[in-house]
């Protein structure tokens, strides 16, 4: 297509492109053209490539054509950032913001919102949807998120057909598959994949003071979104790794235990970190301050240093403060101080000390900050804005920074390649590596970006290269129907239509594609079955009929054997349950064969597991596997009352008594099951039928039989395939049926209608939606005071970061404790109902925030509240914001009455101080 034709064909795009002081890339131009043509588009491109330009074009097109555009984001902080970007371009009167707890100009032609807000508007049939022409779904790959991903699919499925969808995603390996699904449910949709970065990215490993390239640079395309697999690793880096490994092993052999501790480290640094290499030098691991000094000297700031630990990020800032490092000029320090003072002006003075405000401000003026989910939202916003403006030079961050917020850097440093995943320290994935390092390289500011892995003892350069040269994992749907979703859908379209809508989900689309492959395997198996049956053809008769008789005999004999084994097992269990402390038995075989005395019968619902002491003084617990046949006590031995199985002397004395008591005993004869068990009449009749069959005397009988045995084995595999196909077909719809069955059991659904009992559930969007609805139905929350209600509802939003956190949390007493215990009981009852319907949606309420929520609602100071919990200020604010959200939902769902007023009072009482200062945080 010629340039002149393009110009005539896309006038709005031409006007829009003129707003930028740089030419748009080809993928941006093509995507904008698709949008102007009235189609949907999916743009999958690397972090920092400028895919949001396409979303901004949809905004521009909506304004030019008199329609509305909703710009959705996964988190409130990103909504806030995009809102300010659009206001600066189009003016505050043209742009609104809806994040659940904040409403700014909600009827504007352009509204930025979280995806959950749009989902709720669709279910409520909001009038704000009138005139909607475009929806931008930024970071649409969030639909893979386990806890929140379903929201994206709900919106995509339920948006009116007249709305054009602009989907922006990180680079994923199955973008075409996702685009195919979008076209299936939304109509004309073009998928545009861009795998080249606007700013080339170079990969390095920082070894001491040397910045070594990760790859042999002549073989790497640094502008690609990812390096091709198999790209050669820098030979010098491999040599360093080999020398480090060899020297470590030599030191382990030659250095006396304890000598390696203390002393002088690398380069004569006292206590420095390091390991000797083959020539006696050490590979120096620089401190965090030294890393920043090296980056500053090399002109590689601003930088983001990913540490994967909140504590580690804050410790890094403190290390920098103690070192006196300054990365800013005098003028920059004054500008930063003025910005921080203005941005945090609303923070209550009494809270500043507990929040660490002065250290935070001091570090920022030096150009240094941390960034993680535990920080106060106002602090995080300061860091983000100052970093984007180039005033903050180095940020120590956890991986949450990589999720959507626009904070590109010249350099990204990964301190380690493993992180705590909630259960253990696990290596980061290639996808995570690409997402993190993708922040490096600022479009329009940097000629190139740099990703730096800090050398650590034992690092394997080939594994690092594997992370940098593997394409992102495919996008996998996490969609599943929820209780709230079910009542909203049934209310809107009825149960059958709702079921059909859910079958349109990306989850079902992916399952169906897998079914295609399984069905192809099944077809091949069925063809092979016909071939095997033909190969077994016998000229004397129907050999497959004869084979069926043989197969039936074999199955019956196996069944009889299993039955005998089960009977024998029951006999063994019964004999073990009769054992008592002091009984002497014989262990029939194995390492501990011989006489033993029973210390503890070990009877439990899972089956008996007696603890015994052998004549060789070995105390162990036995299982059913140790007893192929029933056991009987042959005598008894007195066990002293103070006997301790862990005490060697106690064991020695009792073993001596055991040997004395069994000296003249002959081991009892064990009952053996005769192999010549009674013959099943059905088996005998089948054998007679076999002998009478014309194929029985065929000289080729066993050759035919081998083909028939292959047929039966393949037939068994084919039936397994059939079951797998059935299980994957309509999986989402079947899960929806189970959800509806639970709701019907509770009286929330009656046939194709939502009952009066079920209507409050439509307004509850909590993860524990059904627990909240049942609490309202049963009056569990009635009569509570404001602080008590805040504490009770907090158990339904809070979730400890680690299992060991808050295992014995402090809980207010009286009505508050009774309400919390009642909610826990509700959850148990509902979990039983779920299990009966093969579901597991509802997690256990967590009282870890209850005391803090209660005291905060009572008006206690922040220092007092945080002093009695393990929560950081940022975590506290985030959870209280979620408590505000749920309290608002409860007020809406409860209907007119005292509970509604109390819930609204919770919102008023807890939205104060640092919570009120942070209206836009996720």
């Amino acid at each position: 297509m010629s340039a002149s034709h393009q110009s005539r064909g896309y006038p709005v795009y031409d006007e829009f492109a003129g707003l930028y002081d740089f030419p748009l890339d080809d993928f941006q131009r093509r995507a904008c053209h698709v949008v102007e043509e009235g189609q949907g588009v999916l743009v999958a491109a690397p972090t920092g490539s400028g895919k949001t330009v396409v979303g901004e074009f949809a905004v521009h097109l909506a304004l030019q054509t008199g329609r509305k555009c909703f710009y959705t984001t996964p988190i409130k902080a990103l909504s806030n950032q995009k809102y300010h970007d659009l206001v600066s371009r189009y003016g505050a009167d043209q742009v609104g913001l809806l994040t659940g707890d904040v409403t700014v100009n909600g009827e504007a032609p352009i509204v930025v919102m979280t995806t959950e807000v749009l989902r709720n508007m669709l279910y409520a049939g909001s009038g704000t949807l009138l005139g909607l022409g475009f929806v931008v779904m930024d970071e649409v790959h969030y639909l893979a998120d386990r806890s929140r991903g379903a929201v994206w699919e709900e919106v995509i499925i339920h948006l009116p057909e007249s709305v054009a969808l602009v989907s922006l995603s990180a680079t994923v390996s199955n973008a075409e598959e996702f685009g195919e699904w979008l076209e299936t449910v939304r109509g004309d949709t073009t998928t545009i994949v861009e795998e080249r970065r606007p700013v080339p990215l170079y990969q390095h490993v920082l070894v001491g003071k040397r910045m070594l390239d990760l790859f042999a640079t002549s073989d790497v395309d640094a502008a690609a979104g990812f390096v091709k697999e198999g790209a050669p690793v820098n030979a010098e880096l491999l040599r360093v790794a080999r020398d480090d490994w060899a020297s470590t092993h030599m030191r382990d052999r030659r250095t006396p235990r304890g000598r390696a501790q203390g002393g002088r480290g690398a380069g004569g640094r006292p206590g420095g970190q390091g390991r000797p290499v083959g020539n006696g030098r050490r590979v120096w691991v620089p401190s965090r301050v030294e890393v920043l000094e090296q980056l500053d000297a090399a002109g590689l700031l601003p930088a983001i240093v990913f540490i994967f630990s909140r504590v580690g990020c804050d410790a890094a800032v403190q290390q920098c403060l103690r070192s006196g490092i300054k990365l800013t000029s005098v003028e920059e320090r004054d500008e930063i101080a003025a910005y921080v003072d203005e941005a945090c002006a609303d923070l209550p003075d009494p809270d500043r000390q507990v929040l660490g405000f002065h250290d935070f401000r001091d570090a920022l003026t030096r150009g240094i900050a941390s960034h993680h989910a535990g920080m106060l939202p106002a602090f995080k916003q300061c860091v983000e804005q100052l970093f984007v403006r180039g005033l903050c030079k180095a940020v120590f961050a956890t991986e949450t920074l990589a999720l959507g917020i626009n904070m590109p850097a010249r350099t990204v440093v990964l301190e380690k390649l493993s992180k705590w995943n909630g259960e253990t320290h696990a290596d980061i994935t290639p996808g995570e590596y690409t997402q993190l390092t993708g922040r490096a390289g600022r479009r329009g500011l940097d000629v190139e970006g740099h990703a730096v892995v800090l050398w650590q003892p034992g690092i394997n350069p080939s594994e690092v290269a594997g992370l940098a040269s593997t394409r992102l994992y495919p996008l996998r749907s996490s969609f599943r129907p929820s209780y709230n979703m079910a009542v909203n859908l049934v209310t809107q379209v009825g149960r059958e239509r709702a079921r059909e809508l859910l079958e349109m989900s990306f989850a079902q689309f992916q399952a169906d594609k897998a079914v295609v492959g399984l069905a192809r395997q099944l077809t091949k198996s069925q063809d092979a079955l016909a071939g095997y049956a033909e190969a077994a053809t016998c000229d004397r008769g129907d050999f497959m009929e004869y084979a069926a008789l043989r197969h039936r005999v074999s199955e019956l004999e196996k069944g009889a054997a299993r039955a005998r084994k089960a009977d024998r097992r029951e006999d063994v269990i019964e004999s073990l349950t009769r054992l008592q402390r002091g009984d002497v038995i014989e262990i029939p075989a194995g390492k501990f064969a011989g006489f033993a005395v029973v210390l503890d019968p070990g009877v439990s619902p899972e089956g008996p597991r007696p603890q015994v002491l052998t004549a060789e003084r070995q105390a162990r617990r036995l299982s059913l596997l140790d007893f192929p046949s029933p056991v009987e006590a042959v005598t008894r031995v007195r066990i002293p009352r103070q006997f301790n199985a862990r005490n060697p002397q106690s064991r020695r004395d009792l073993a001596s008594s055991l040997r004395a008591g069994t000296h003249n005993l002959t081991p009892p004869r064990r009952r053996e099951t005769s192999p010549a068990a009674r013959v099943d009449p059905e088996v005998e009749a089948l054998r007679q039928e076999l002998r009478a069959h014309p194929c029985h005397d065929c000289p080729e009988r066993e050759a035919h039989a081998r083909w028939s045995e292959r047929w039966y084995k393949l037939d068994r595999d084919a039936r397994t395939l059939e079951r797998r196909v059935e299980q994957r077909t309509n999986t989402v719809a079947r899960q929806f049926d189970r959800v509806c069955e639970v709701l019907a059991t509770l009286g929330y659904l009656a046939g194709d209608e939502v009952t009066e009992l079920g209507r409050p559930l439509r307004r509850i969007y909590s993860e524990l939606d059904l627990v909240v609805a049942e609490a309202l139905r049963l009056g569990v929350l009635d009569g509570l005071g404001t602080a008590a209600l805040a504490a009770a509802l907090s158990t339904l939003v809070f979730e400890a970061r680690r299992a060991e956190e808050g295992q014995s949390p402090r809980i207010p007493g009286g009505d508050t404790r009774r309400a919390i215990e009642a909610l826990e009981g509700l959850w148990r009852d509902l979990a039983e109902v779920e299990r009966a319907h093969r579901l597991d949606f509802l997690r256990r309420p967590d009282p870890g925030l209850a005391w803090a929520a209660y005291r905060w609602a009572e008006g206690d100071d922040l220092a007092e509240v945080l002093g009695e919990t393990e929560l950081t200020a940022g975590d506290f604010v985030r959870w209280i914001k979620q408590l505000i959200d749920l309290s608002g939902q409860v007020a809406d769902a409860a209907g007119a009455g005292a509970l509604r007023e109390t819930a609204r009072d919770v919102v008023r009482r807890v939205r104060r101080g640092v919570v009120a200062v942070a209206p836009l945080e996720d």
Side-chain angles (χ1 to χ4, degrees), residues 799-832:
E799 191 170 6
R801 292 176 61 228
R802 292 185 173 89
E804 66 271 15
E805 286 183 2
Q807 288 186 342
S808 300
R810 187 175 181 182
I811 301 175
D815 289 344
T816 309
R817 178 177 289 274
R818 283 191 290 273
I820 290 173
E821 290 172 349
L823 289 174
E824 172 106 7
L826 266 182
W827 165 77
R828 285 200 190 91
D829 293 342
L830 290 172
E832 286 295 326

Side-chain angles (χ1 to χ4, degrees), residues 209-416:
K209 288 189 175 182
R210 294 186 297 163
M211 187 83 75
L212 298 180
D213 291 329
L214 175 58
F215 295 101
T217 53
S218 60
D219 297 282
V220 171
D221 180 3
F226 59 93
V227 180
K228 291 183 179 179
E229 293 190 41
V233 180
N234 184 348
E236 186 176 3
L237 193 56
L238 291 172
R239 180 187 59 75
V240 171
R242 284 194 302 269
D243 289 348
D244 184 35
W245 182 88
S247 65
T248 301
H249 284 67
M250 279 193 291
R251 182 190 63 180
D252 290 345
R253 289 194 298 270
R254 299 189 309 193
T255 304
R257 188 180 297 257
R259 281 282 301 280
Q261 305 299 319
R264 297 181 72 81
R269 299 169 184 274
Q273 302 176 67
R275 300 170 76 91
V277 294
N279 59 8
R281 293 183 292 107
R282 288 177 179 266
V283 177
W284 165 45
V285 179
S287 70
R288 289 157 177 164
V289 174
E290 290 163 337
V291 168
L292 295 188
E293 289 174 341
Q294 290 187 68
L295 294 177
D296 191 23
L300 295 179
L301 295 178
I304 300 170
V305 182
F306 285 108
I307 293 182
F308 304 133
S309 161
R310 296 178 177 190
V311 173
C313 291
D314 293 338
V317 172
Q318 291 301 316
Q319 290 164 16
C320 291
L321 284 174
R322 288 194 298 270
S323 75
I325 186 174
K326 292 180 181 178
L327 304 176
T328 51
S329 65
V330 174
E331 293 78 12
E332 287 174 327
R333 287 197 284 278
D334 290 342
E335 186 177 351
I336 291 168
Y339 179 88
V340 173
D341 290 343
E342 181 181 356
C344 298
D346 292 334
L347 285 180
D349 288 336
D351 294 343
R352 295 195 173 209
Q353 188 66 36
V354 69
L355 294 172
F357 171 78
H358 301 292
D359 277 354
F360 169 75
R361 182 181 184 275
D362 185 14
L364 258 180
T365 60
R366 298 165 183 263
I368 297 157
S370 60
H371 188 287
H372 56 73
M375 287 176 65
L376 191 71
F379 287 4
K380 280 205 294 183
Q381 290 178 15
C382 283
V383 174
E384 291 159 9
Q385 291 301 314
L386 291 171
F387 194 83
V388 169
R389 288 164 59 172
L391 294 171
C392 181
K393 311 296 183 179
V395 172
F396 297 98
T398 60
E399 69 273 20
T400 55
L401 182 147
L403 301 177
I405 299 297
N406 180 29
M407 279 181 64
R410 180 168 296 164
T411 304
V412 165
V413 179
L414 272 66
E415 191 173 84
K416 291 184 179 179

Side-chain angles (χ1 to χ4, degrees), residues 566-684:
D567 290 344
R568 193 158 55 245
R569 184 174 183 274
E570 290 301 320
D571 290 343
V572 169
I573 291 174
E574 185 181 353
S575 69
L576 290 175
T577 57
R578 291 196 297 265
L579 294 179
Q580 297 181 8
R581 179 178 167 88
D583 281 349
V584 175
I585 61 173
E586 185 208 6
I587 303 175
K591 182 178 179 182
F592 301 98
F595 289 113
V597 58
V598 176
L599 304 177
D600 171 24
V603 178
S604 72
E606 290 75 29
R609 293 199 61 204
Q611 183 187 28
V612 301
L613 179 74
T614 69
E616 303 302 323
R617 305 193 301 277
Q618 297 285 343
R620 66 166 303 205
R621 196 166 286 280
L622 305 176
S623 71
L624 292 178
L625 297 177
D626 293 297
F627 300 98
S629 59
V631 64
E632 297 176 2
V634 295
T635 186
R636 289 184 58 78
V637 170
R638 180 183 173 279
I639 301 177
R641 179 171 298 180
Q642 302 302 320
F643 176 79
N644 182 354
R646 296 183 179 179
N647 185 296
Q649 185 60 49
S650 294
R651 293 200 307 271
R652 188 178 298 113
D653 293 344
L654 184 57
S656 177
S657 298
L658 172 64
R659 286 193 297 271
T662 58
H663 179 68
N664 296 319
L665 285 180
T666 302
R669 292 184 60 185
R670 287 185 295 275
R671 292 176 288 173
E672 299 291 343
T673 302
S674 170
R678 67 181 182 84
V679 177
D680 189 308
E682 184 180 359
V683 172
E684 183 56 35

Side-chain angles (χ1 to χ4, degrees), residues 378-568:
F379 287 4
K380 280 205 294 183
Q381 290 178 15
C382 283
V383 174
E384 291 159 9
Q385 291 301 314
L386 291 171
F387 194 83
V388 169
R389 288 164 59 172
L391 294 171
C392 181
K393 311 296 183 179
V395 172
F396 297 98
T398 60
E399 69 273 20
T400 55
L401 182 147
L403 301 177
I405 299 297
N406 180 29
M407 279 181 64
R410 180 168 296 164
T411 304
V412 165
V413 179
L414 272 66
E415 191 173 84
K416 291 184 179 179
L417 296 175
S418 65
K419 64 174 186 174
W420 179 260
N421 63 9
E423 296 179 359
T424 184
H425 281 93
D427 294 338
I428 65 172
T429 67
E432 290 168 333
Y433 182 92
T434 305
Q435 181 83 1
L436 296 168
T437 58
R439 291 272 168 196
R442 297 169 299 170
R443 183 170 186 156
L445 294 174
D446 299 321
V447 177
E448 58 193 34
H450 298 270
V452 179
V453 174
L454 185 62
W455 177 274
Q456 297 287 348
I459 198 170
N460 184 339
S462 296
E463 291 179 359
V464 181
L467 290 173
S469 62
T470 304
R471 197 174 181 190
L472 288 181
Y473 289 131
L475 186 62
R476 294 295 179 205
S477 172
S478 61
F479 181 86
R480 68 178 186 180
S482 68
Y483 298 111
N484 168 272
M485 184 193 306
V487 292
N488 274 298
L489 284 176
V490 172
T491 299
Q492 285 190 328
V493 298
R495 185 163 170 178
E496 281 307 309
R497 176 59 181 152
R499 200 174 191 275
E500 293 171 6
L501 284 173
L502 294 181
E503 286 183 319
M504 295 169 59
S505 66
F506 188 42
Q508 189 59 57
F509 182 81
Q510 290 188 310
D512 288 343
K513 292 196 77 172
V515 165
V516 171
L518 292 174
R520 190 177 299 118
Q521 286 180 256
L522 185 57
T523 300
K524 289 181 179 179
S525 296
Q526 290 166 342
D527 291 342
L529 284 170
Y532 289 165
E534 184 178 353
T537 301
C538 177
D539 58 6
R540 299 198 177 193
D542 186 346
F543 196 88
M544 291 307 294
E545 180 183 72
Y546 177 77
L549 291 171
R550 289 178 58 149
H551 187 71
R552 179 61 180 156
V553 168
S554 175
E555 289 297 305
L556 286 172
E557 289 177 337
K558 288 178 182 175
R562 285 194 295 269
R564 288 193 297 272
K565 184 175 181 181
D567 290 344
R568 193 158 55 245

